[in-house]
């Protein structure tokens, strides 16, 4: 289990969770996802945007630390976003495989 940083928002029952969102591509889609977490006082620990075969679709994978109540609230808020077509919680075993860092993603884009 990943260590949670306590910024006053998290309690002892906090766990690391990975979510996968299938989304329609649109301007501001990432900002809307980030805003859901910001409103709840949660940090996104890791974030990855994957392209799909269709240019109009994308997959967002993100990790965050929160309580089960925060997870339920975040999932409810995310499913209300117009761009989100589906959302699933990724099994805990996948958390052992970290997402690439922002630096790694930027390096891959510049090659």
């Amino acid at each position: 289990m990943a260590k949670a940083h306590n910024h006053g928002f998290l309690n002892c029952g906090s766990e690391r969770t990975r979510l996968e969102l299938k989304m329609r591509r649109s301007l501001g889609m990432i900002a809307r996802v980030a805003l859901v977490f910001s409103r709840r006082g949660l940090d996104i620990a890791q974030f990855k945007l994957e392209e799909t075969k269709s240019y109009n679709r994308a997959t967002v994978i993100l990790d965050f630390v929160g309580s089960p109540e925060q997870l339920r609230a975040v999932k409810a808020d995310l499913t209300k976003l117009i761009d989100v077509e589906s959302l699933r919680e990724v099994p805990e075993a996948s958390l052992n495989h970290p997402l690439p860092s922002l630096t790694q993603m930027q390096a891959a884009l510049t090659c």
Side-chain angles (χ1 to χ4, degrees), residues 61 73 101:
I61 302 170
S101 70

Side-chain angles (χ1 to χ4, degrees), residues 22-23 25 50-59:
K22 301 289 184 180
M23 301 184 67
R25 289 187 129 191
E50 292 181 343
E51 290 192 19
T52 62
K53 291 179 182 180
S54 168
Y55 177 78
N56 298 333
R57 305 281 184 266
T59 301

Side-chain angles (χ1 to χ4, degrees), residues 65-78:
V65 177
S67 68
E69 295 81 23
Q70 289 170 317
L71 171 60
R72 279 191 292 278
V74 163
K75 286 168 75 173
D77 288 349
L78 288 171

Side-chain angles (χ1 to χ4, degrees), residues 22-106:
K22 301 289 184 180
M23 301 184 67
R24 280 192 310 257
R25 289 187 129 191
S26 66
L27 292 174
M29 70 180 216
I30 294 171
R32 287 187 286 281
V33 169
L35 190 57
V36 166
F37 288 86
S38 177
R39 275 187 260 150
R40 299 231 170 245
L42 296 169
D43 288 328
I44 296 173
Q46 294 185 42
F47 183 94
K48 182 178 180 185
L49 178 66
E50 292 181 343
E51 290 192 19
T52 62
K53 291 179 182 180
S54 168
Y55 177 78
N56 298 333
R57 305 281 184 266
T59 301
V60 172
I61 302 170
L62 52 87
D63 291 358
F64 74 100
V65 177
S67 68
E69 295 81 23
Q70 289 170 317
L71 171 60
R72 279 191 292 278
V74 163
K75 286 168 75 173
D77 288 349
L78 288 171
T79 57
K80 292 177 188 174
L81 294 178
I82 193 165
D83 301 322
V84 175
E85 296 177 336
S86 69
L87 178 149
R88 76 176 184 100
E89 193 171 338
V90 178
E92 190 173 326
S94 298
L95 296 178
N96 296 329
H97 305 290
L99 298 174
S101 70
L102 183 57
T103 306
Q104 291 169 324
M105 289 190 293
Q106 288 172 333

